[in-house]
């Protein structure tokens, strides 16, 4: 069977397409939603097309930068048109708590049941990993480069222009590690301590970036000497010739996850797809096409990912061991939501 891409049209248009498709065929199908761009193209080749062929189903695709508002609208209407969403894990958890996301029966998803408990929740399965890392200019730091968030905060030993993400998620974790908190002792976050540490570095932040593309451009153009950035963005500009690098030491390991909308029109097929999507071989195919790590660690046991490539990926076991694993459960809690709201007032000071 096939995948049918509808990238860039948005879910309202997809709705018409999906309805016409339902009328034309009773074959098993789902509607899968991701974030578009090179990422969705890569997962189409690595995971979606092989899964559709193996299961004998049709996978209709849509893309949207931020699925959360649409999830609330669709489920709230009582007639969702999406089945499976690839979205930041926190939205799956928050949606589960609010009755917007289906609770998963892992007896029907054995590929996920074999994954570490920290990589799944009652409502979600980790699908791919990326990291918020400390990146730097190799022109500014040809040797003795900054290697920790303590170094990033040390403006005397490591002078230079700095950038951080204009968002509390991962930034608060970096601040606490800069203040000496061990990566495996971060949660529950000491929010007061994190903001106090951020106040310390705030006068030295040249740019608070708001998109991955902007962070990459800052390094590529030499506008900053070091910054927090997503590993794939740094790798991309490095491949284009920019003299930049990063360290996984004290990175914040983050994931998107798969979850199913409450009342999804093709629930049974969606569950079959979830199991297939985290198959170790399909998962191992993803980093052959893009710089993201597989959500299922067993992908590293398939021999599909060569050792040299594995060492570049954020979820490779040795790299993962150097990092803090993001707790989406904490960020979805009332304390996490309060920290997000507090961020706006921090930036306005």
């Amino acid at each position: 069977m096939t995948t049918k891409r509808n990238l860039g049209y948005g879910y309202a248009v997809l709705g018409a397409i999906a309805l016409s498709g339902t009328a034309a065929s009773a074959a098993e199908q789902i509607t899968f939603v991701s974030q578009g761009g090179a990422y969705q193209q890569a997962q189409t080749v690595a995971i979606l097309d092989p899964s559709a062929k193996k299961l004998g189903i049709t996978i209709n695709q849509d893309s949207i930068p931020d699925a959360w508002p649409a999830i609330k609208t669709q489920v709230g209407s009582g007639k969702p048109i999406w089945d499976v969403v690839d979205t930041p894990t926190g939205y799956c958890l928050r949606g589960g708590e609010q009755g917007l996301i289906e609770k998963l029966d892992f007896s029907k998803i054995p590929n996920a049941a074999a994954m570490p408990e920290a990589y799944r929740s009652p409502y979600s399965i980790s699908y791919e990993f990326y990291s918020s890392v400390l990146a730097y200019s190799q022109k500014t730091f040809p040797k003795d480069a900054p290697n920790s968030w303590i170094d990033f905060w040390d403006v005397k030993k490591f002078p230079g222009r700095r950038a951080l993400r204009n968002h509390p998620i991962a930034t608060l974790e970096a601040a606490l590690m800069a203040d000496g908190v061990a990566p495996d002792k971060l949660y529950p976050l000491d929010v007061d301590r994190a903001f106090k540490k951020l106040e310390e570095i705030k006068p030295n932040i040249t740019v608070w970036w708001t998109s991955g593309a902007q962070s990459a451009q800052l390094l590529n153009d030499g506008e900053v000497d070091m910054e927090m950035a997503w590993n794939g963005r740094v790798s991309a500009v490095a491949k284009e010739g920019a003299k930049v690098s990063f360290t996984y030491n004290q990175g914040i390991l983050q994931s998107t996850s798969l979850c199913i909308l409450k009342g999804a029109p093709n629930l049974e097929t969606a569950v079959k797809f979830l199991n297939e999507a985290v198959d170790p071989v399909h998962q191992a195919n993803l980093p052959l096409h893009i710089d993201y790590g597989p959500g299922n660690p067993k992908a590293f046991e398939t021999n599909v990912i060569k050792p040299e490539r594995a060492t570049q990926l954020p979820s490779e076991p040795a790299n993962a061991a150097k990092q803090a694993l993001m707790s989406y459960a904490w960020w979805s809690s009332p304390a996490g939501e309060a920290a997000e709201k507090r961020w706006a007032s921090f930036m306005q000071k």
Side-chain angles (χ1 to χ4, degrees), residues 15 20 37 42 47 83 85-86 96 117 127 140 158 175 199 209-210 237-238 246 273 278 296 313:
S20 64
I47 297 174
D83 293 292
V85 180
D86 169 14
E117 288 190 12
Y127 184 52
T140 307
F158 298 96
E199 293 285 2
W209 56 265
T210 56
V237 294
F246 69 89
F273 168 74
V278 295
N296 189 343
L313 301 173

Side-chain angles (χ1 to χ4, degrees), residues 45-47 50-51 54 111 275-289 294 296-305:
V45 175
I47 297 174
S51 295
K54 186 173 176 180
N111 285 327
N275 183 57
E276 194 63 32
V278 295
D279 171 84
V281 174
H282 294 330
Q283 287 272 301
N285 283 330
L286 184 64
L288 305 185
H289 302 279
N296 189 343
K298 289 191 175 298
F300 290 105
E301 301 173 9
T302 61
N303 294 321
V304 174
I305 308 172

Side-chain angles (χ1 to χ4, degrees), residues 32 42 51 84 94 100 139 156 182 232 248 328 348:
F32 173 86
S51 295
V84 179
R94 192 172 295 176
L100 303 173
K139 291 181 179 177
K156 292 183 178 177
Y248 278 124
Y328 291 100
Q348 289 170 0

Side-chain angles (χ1 to χ4, degrees), residues 3 49 63 70-71 90 100 102 124 133-134 144 151 198 226 252 255 288 299 308 321 339:
T3 59
D49 283 349
S63 63
I71 290 172
L100 303 173
E102 290 281 351
S124 64
V133 297
L134 169 53
D144 299 327
D151 291 347
L198 281 166
M226 68 177 84
I252 299 98
S255 66
L288 305 185
E308 181 179 353

Side-chain angles (χ1 to χ4, degrees), residues 3-245:
T3 59
K4 297 178 179 178
R5 278 177 280 182
N6 185 42
L7 308 183
Y9 287 92
Y11 76 89
V13 174
L14 176 75
I17 294 172
L19 289 172
S20 64
T22 302
S25 172
E28 284 189 87
Q29 61 180 311
I30 62 166
T31 297
F32 173 86
V33 183
S34 188
Q35 295 111 55
Y39 171 52
Q40 193 157 346
Q41 292 173 16
Q43 62 179 304
T44 297
V45 175
I47 297 174
L48 301 182
D49 283 349
S51 295
K53 183 177 181 180
K54 186 173 176 180
L55 296 174
I57 66 173
T58 294
I59 300 176
N60 304 301
Q61 293 192 51
D62 197 7
S63 63
I64 190 168
D66 181 5
W68 178 240
I71 290 172
K72 291 191 289 185
T73 300
Q74 285 194 28
V75 179
S77 75
K79 295 181 179 178
I81 58 174
W82 292 347
D83 293 292
V84 179
V85 180
D86 169 14
T87 191
T89 303
Y91 290 147
C92 296
L93 301 186
R94 192 172 295 176
E97 293 165 359
Q98 297 181 12
L100 303 173
I101 298 295
E102 290 281 351
K103 195 168 187 177
L104 300 177
D105 180 354
F106 282 98
S107 70
K108 297 179 179 178
I109 315 173
N111 285 327
M115 292 164 61
E117 288 190 12
Y119 287 12
R120 51 192 167 90
S121 80
Y123 304 99
S124 64
I125 307 169
S126 292
Y127 184 52
E128 56 84 26
F129 279 102
Y130 62 100
S131 291
S132 292
V133 297
L134 169 53
Y136 56 88
S137 165
Q138 292 177 308
K139 291 181 179 177
T140 307
F141 304 104
K143 57 182 181 179
D144 299 327
N147 189 48
S148 69
W149 295 114
I150 291 176
D151 291 347
F152 186 90
W153 257 251
D154 191 339
V155 298
K156 292 183 178 177
K157 185 177 179 180
F158 298 96
R161 297 156 296 177
R162 288 159 161 79
L164 283 173
R165 186 187 179 198
N166 186 358
H167 199 284
I169 291 181
T171 314
L172 265 60
E173 280 88 341
L176 288 170
M177 285 189 276
D179 208 30
V181 180
D184 62 346
K185 305 294 183 186
L186 287 170
Y187 300 99
L189 294 186
D190 185 334
V191 175
D192 289 340
R193 183 175 175 181
F195 275 107
K196 183 179 180 182
K197 193 66 178 176
L198 281 166
E199 293 285 2
E200 183 181 315
I201 197 66
K202 193 176 183 181
N204 297 284
I205 300 300
T206 305
V207 179
W208 295 88
W209 56 265
T210 56
S211 72
Q214 183 188 9
S215 70
Q217 198 69 36
L218 289 169
L219 268 183
N220 194 40
D221 293 349
E223 292 185 40
V224 299
D225 301 293
M226 68 177 84
E227 64 173 351
M228 171 181 280
W230 294 320
N231 69 288
R233 295 289 185 173
V234 186
S235 297
V237 294
K239 288 176 182 175
E240 293 172 358
K243 298 297 183 184
V244 300
S245 188

